[in-house]
Amino acid sequence: VQLQASGGGVVQAGASLRLSCVVSGGTFSRYAVAWFRQAPGKEREFVALIHRSSWTNYLNSVKGRFTISRDNAKKTVYLQMNKLEPEDTAVYYCAAKDVIITDVHGFSDPGKYTYWGQGTQVTVSS
């Protein structure tokens, strides 16, 4: 299984970006897929999750600004990021795990995930 993240860039505060995570291999419809981010000198931080059943969860500081979605036909998960802030600057990683429907806990823990993408840089200037 391979994850390919893309869509990062350098933008000004208030702008938007859409990240994509294309998953190849495995059975995409069974995966919970999340976005994490890591800023220099900081630990990797959970940002958003979309479960195989399509329920979602977000880091409090991005609620109302970021939206995660999935397209099972394209085996792709998106993270639409609006009203970007300098504090959102980080390398963004997508991660996936094959889960059963009733597995609904612990998704903010990076250790829960089996597969990781290579990361895409998001830089927001003030």
Side-chain angles (χ1 to χ4, degrees), residues 9-89:
V10 179
V11 297
Q12 291 189 329
S16 299
L17 283 173
R18 188 177 79 158
L19 306 184
S20 299
C21 176
V22 179
V23 181
S24 58
T27 305
F28 180 79
S29 61
R30 293 179 53 86
Y31 293 152
V33 181
W35 288 93
F36 288 78
R37 66 188 182 187
Q38 189 164 19
K42 295 188 176 181
E43 293 188 351
R44 193 163 295 191
E45 175 182 55
F46 169 80
V47 176
L49 162 79
I50 187 161
H51 196 267
R52 61 176 284 181
S53 57
S54 293
W55 60 263
T56 59
N57 193 24
Y58 295 91
L59 176 69
N60 282 340
S61 64
V62 308
K63 285 181 180 178
R65 300 189 297 123
F66 291 10
T67 302
I68 191 170
S69 61
R70 67 191 294 156
D71 184 332
N72 285 351
K74 294 182 178 180
K75 299 183 180 181
T76 301
V77 169
Y78 303 98
L79 185 67
Q80 178 67 44
M81 305 186 296
N82 298 329
K83 300 180 181 178
L84 283 161
E85 303 170 353
E87 294 74 21
D88 296 317
T89 295

